[in-house]
């Protein structure tokens, strides 16, 4: 358990007070009684004031709740092998693998898929295209 700096200061002051009272008790017991009653009364007043501050003078903003833990995303492999191969873990808007310009995208673009693929995404061979999501437009140039 860790204590705040004010708690450590209060603990230190209490220890010094006890040591002073023990020292007075060995020298003059009557004087120790007087010091103890003044110190006890003062500590009581300070305690009441601190309790009132804690009760009524707290912060105006509520503490922020802890953030929930983030679930790890599944690991998937994305691999492209071969000349001009394209592989993407998500959606592909327009892809071209054959040295020519890509065709214009179709008018109604399909909405992106909300579910990620379960396995990996692999594109192998010359001019192959693979995506883990949707492909809007693709051209292999062959």
């Amino acid at each position: 358990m860790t204590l705040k700096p004010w708690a450590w200061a209060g603990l230190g002051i209490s220890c010094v007070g006890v040591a002073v009272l023990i020292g007075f008790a060995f020298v003059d017991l009557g004087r120790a009684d007087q010091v103890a009653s003044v110190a006890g009364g003062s500590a009581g007043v300070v305690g009441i004031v601190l309790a009132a501050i804690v009760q009524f003078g707290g912060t105006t903003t509520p503490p922020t709740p802890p953030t929930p833990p983030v679930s790890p995303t599944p690991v998937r492999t994305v691999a492209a092998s071969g000349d001009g191969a394209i592989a993407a873990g998500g959606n592909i808007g327009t892809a071209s693998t054959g040295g020519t310009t890509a065709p214009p995208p179709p008018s109604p673009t399909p909405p992106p898929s909300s579910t990620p693929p379960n396995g990996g995404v692999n594109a192998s061979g010359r001019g192959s295209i693979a995506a883990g999501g949707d492909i809007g437009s693709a051209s292999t140039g062959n």
Side-chain angles (χ1 to χ4, degrees), residues 18-32:
V18 168
V20 167
L21 288 176
I22 290 173
F24 274 119
F26 285 115
V27 175
D28 182 12
L29 192 55
R31 182 85 171 147

Side-chain angles (χ1 to χ4, degrees), residues 8 22 35 64 77 85 88 113 123 129 131 134 137:
W8 281 111
I22 290 173
V35 170
T64 58
T77 58
S113 174
I129 300 172
D134 297 327
S137 173

